[in-house]
């Protein structure tokens, strides 16, 4: 399930070094339980029988409790590391996302580029759900490398506009320069939005001007 372990150990060590003794011990235990769960579950675990309630794994409880034990500053990193250690599969990611708080949902989104669903774009429904919200932190987290690789051109363009509408800095959009280059439809959409703001006497955000320049497309002047 994991795409790469090359940075995981370093990130765990860096996080542990930033925590006090109590939080560091909690993290070490939680990660060990996540790894044990990953080793114990077969690659193709059978589904639960209809009507039965799946027991909650101890590492999933730790995933939910990370904010309380690690603090807001380190909770995102701790939760992502737990997902990696548990080799969380798509059903697990989907369950944690839909049952979780906004912070827990953000951690799932942040972990997507580090995980490898059976089908490359299988986790896109989670990204699309986040992009439908008005939570700017979720929108920003959704537009990482996973979205850059898998969102359709139509969905990606509208995600860029969503950032401009909601004030999410376009620096959050991974691969912006690559995907914007030569995109005439994105250039048209950006130009239309700039014209709307100008007509309403509102300033054009610098991010909009920057994104339009990245397209490299000359938009025809509109007739007055």
């Amino acid at each position: 399930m994991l795409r790469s372990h090359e940075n995981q150990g370093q990130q765990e060590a860096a996080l542990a070094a930033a925590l006090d003794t109590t939080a560091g011990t909690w993290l070490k235990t939680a990660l060990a339980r996540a790894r044990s769960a990953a080793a114990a579950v077969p690659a193709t675990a059978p589904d639960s029988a209809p009507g039965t309630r799946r027991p909650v794994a101890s590492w999933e409880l730790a995933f939910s409790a990370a904010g309380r034990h690690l603090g807001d500053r380190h909770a995102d990193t701790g939760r992502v590391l737990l997902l990696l250690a548990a080799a969380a599969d798509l059903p697990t990611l989907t369950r944690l996302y839909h049952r979780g708080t906004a912070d827990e949902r953000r951690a799932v989104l942040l972990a997507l580029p580090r995980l490898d669903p059976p089908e490359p774009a299988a986790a896109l429904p989670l990204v699309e759900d986040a992009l439908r919200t008005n939570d700017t932190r979720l929108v920003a987290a959704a537009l990482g490398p996973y979205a850059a690789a898998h969102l359709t051109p139509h969905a990606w363009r509208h995600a860029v506009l969503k950032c401009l509408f909601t004030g999410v800095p376009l620096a959050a959009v991974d691969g912006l320069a690559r995907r914007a280059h030569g995109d005439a439809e994105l250039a048209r959409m950006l130009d239309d939005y700039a014209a709307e703001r100008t007509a309403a006497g509102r300033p054009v955000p610098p991010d909009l001007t920057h994104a339009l320049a990245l397209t490299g497309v000359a938009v025809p002047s509109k007739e007055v």
Side-chain angles (χ1 to χ4, degrees):
M1 186 69 184
L2 292 183
R3 177 174 297 172
S4 172
H5 289 277
E6 60 182 349
N7 296 319
Q8 189 176 344
Q10 293 176 346
Q11 289 178 336
E12 290 181 12
L15 177 56
L19 300 172
D20 62 28
T21 302
T22 301
T25 299
W26 180 88
L27 176 66
K28 182 177 180 180
T29 300
L31 289 171
R33 289 174 176 170
R35 290 194 178 92
S36 295
V41 177
T44 54
D47 294 332
S48 299
T52 62
R53 187 176 182 86
R54 175 187 175 277
V56 179
S58 60
W59 76 266
E60 292 186 28
L61 295 175
F63 178 85
S64 296
R68 188 165 68 252
H69 291 278
L70 303 180
D72 292 342
R73 181 179 178 184
H74 301 298
D76 276 349
T77 302
R79 287 189 174 110
V80 170
L81 289 173
L82 282 170
L83 292 173
L84 297 176
D89 59 14
L90 183 59
T92 300
L93 293 171
T94 301
R95 182 176 63 255
L96 291 175
Y97 178 88
H98 285 296
R99 295 182 181 177
T101 63
D103 289 342
E104 291 162 31
R105 291 182 176 200
R106 187 173 67 253
V108 170
L109 295 167
L110 292 173
L112 291 181
R114 306 278 300 278
L115 296 166
D116 187 18
E119 297 295 330
L124 267 184
L126 304 183
V127 172
E128 293 164 348
D129 180 84
L131 292 175
R132 286 192 293 269
T133 73
N134 290 319
D135 187 325
T136 55
R137 295 184 306 164
L138 283 183
V139 172
L143 289 172
Y146 187 84
H150 300 299
L151 273 181
T152 65
H154 176 80
W156 184 81
R157 293 180 192 117
H158 282 274
V160 172
L161 266 292
K162 177 74 175 264
C163 287
L164 294 171
F165 294 155
T166 59
V168 174
L170 290 189
V173 182
D174 191 85
L176 176 66
R178 175 180 60 82
R179 290 202 61 164
H181 182 69
D183 191 332
E185 179 61 14
L186 177 63
R188 182 196 64 77
M189 293 168 67
L190 293 170
D191 186 65
D192 285 349
Y193 182 43
E196 290 175 11
R197 291 187 65 92
T198 299
R202 303 172 66 189
V204 174
D207 262 0
L208 193 160
T209 304
H210 174 62
L212 187 55
L214 288 176
T215 68
V217 175
V219 181
S221 299
K222 293 179 174 62
E223 294 183 6
V224 180

